[in-house]
Amino acid sequence: MMSAHDQNPASHTERNDESTTHFGFQTVDKHEKESKVANVFHSVAQQYDIMNDLMSFGIHRLWKRFTIDASGVRPGNKVLDLAGGTGDLTAKFSQLVGREGKVILADINSSMLNVGRDKLRDKGLVQNIEYVQANAQYLPFEDNTFDVITIAFGLRNVTDKDMALRSMYRVLKPGGRLLVLEFSKPEHELVNKAYDFYSFNILPKMGEIVAKDGDSYQYLAESIRMHPDQETLKSMMEQAGFEQTSFKNLTGGVVALHKGYKF
Amino acid sequence: MQKVLGEPLLFAQALSAALETLINQLLRYNMQGTRALRPLSGKTLTVQLTELNMPLSFTISHEKVHVTSSDEHYHCCIRTSVSTLLAFNKNQQLTDLIKNDQLDIQGDLKVAQRFAEIAQTLDIDWQSEIAKRIGDMPTYQLGRVGRSLREKINFARTQIQADASEWLVHEQRLLVTAGELAYFSRDVEQVTAKLHALQQRLDALNK
């Protein structure tokens, strides 16, 4: 079984060759990745929530709750939920920041944004949420705008992660914090092997049966392996300017929450 | 338990999610609705129970209670144990609890009292809620069975208490009856009085 962390950490690929990047295990031109990732998410948008529950056995809800707890969000805060997809984090943030606060749900993919918007409106959450179709590398906001920025299960799909982190740093207020919730490298080898088997054998089949799209879930498994491990991502955040960076492994390192501040 | 899910804090998230669902469900059934929450909108009460070793914060927003496991921001924070918390609303005990280091309160006490008031004034018509789901007749039957069961349990409890008391006092002679205790106390009082009188006489003779 291929283990990308051992072979080819993503950040190194990006730094070694300026014109190419990875799309799962494939090496593609940078400008090509965006449209390929877009196709994946256009395809899975409608079944995204149900697949999340199935794939993670519902644990993704606890990972997201952990992120909310770590955000320290309070009434009146301005929050950017980047790659917010179907709006799980936005729904909670919207209620916690209250009428005086604001949450921006941003995603590069219009299909995901539409699903998120419909879901949140159905829940009656309309007062303090704005929807923005935006590329994480070129955030269309003024400097020092947000108290909290979260990006949950989105950073690994971004073409140039370093550029995206710099962009997030720019729009974060001094004193604000960035939270990156993302799949990572399991701490124990046994878990790693079981996780590899699950990701490459069961996950694509599950995608084929439920979402009628095995290829997209094959990409999901590959993209997770190509994502930088905990320490690499932490140093990438530091290079982007974030301070007091730290990470917490969740579920044995299958997922990690990285935190960094702008001062 | 905390390590089962891999990392220490997911237990806190599971607990806060369960509590949040339970509390909001109870509020939905409340006859008074969620009106009582309005004055507390935007307020956060944090509770740190010694038994749990993690904070639980209750924030009111959109007429719902949101439970998080974070103590970064609150209007009132209570650090105590479960048993102390149950006696919290009795104002006369508050000072004693604080003096005895059983309770530590930071922030606006009124926020905590308002939360306690809401909990106490919950008024849920369980029969009506159950009837909505299983129908009137089964609810009536269920209620009858429940009442009869409660009466039987109460009767059994009283009976067991009486039997245990009988066994301890009369059969095992481990405890004394109320009459025996009163008789013994009277004897003690008489001896004390006699001793006091004797002491006075001795004092008079010594002068």
Side-chain angles (χ1 to χ4, degrees), chain B residues 183-194:
Chain B
Y183 188 73
F184 175 75
S185 301
R186 201 183 60 204
D187 280 354
V188 170
E189 277 167 17
Q190 278 176 358
V191 170
T192 311
K194 279 178 184 170

Side-chain angles (χ1 to χ4, degrees), chain A residues 30-78:
Chain A
K30 272 190 171 178
H31 64 266
E32 210 183 329
K33 178 169 175 173
E34 252 169 51
S35 63
K36 278 179 173 283
V37 171
N39 288 337
V40 167
F41 283 93
H42 282 310
S43 166
V44 302
Q46 291 299 329
Q47 306 293 334
Y48 189 78
D49 284 339
I50 194 165
M51 278 303 292
N52 275 351
D53 278 332
L54 276 174
M55 288 186 306
S56 70
F57 311 106
I59 299 174
H60 75 100
R61 292 167 189 271
L62 297 182
W63 295 332
K64 286 170 184 165
R65 263 188 175 269
F66 186 84
T67 308
I68 303 272
D69 290 350
S71 71
V73 76
R74 61 186 68 188
N77 275 176
K78 203 165 179 186

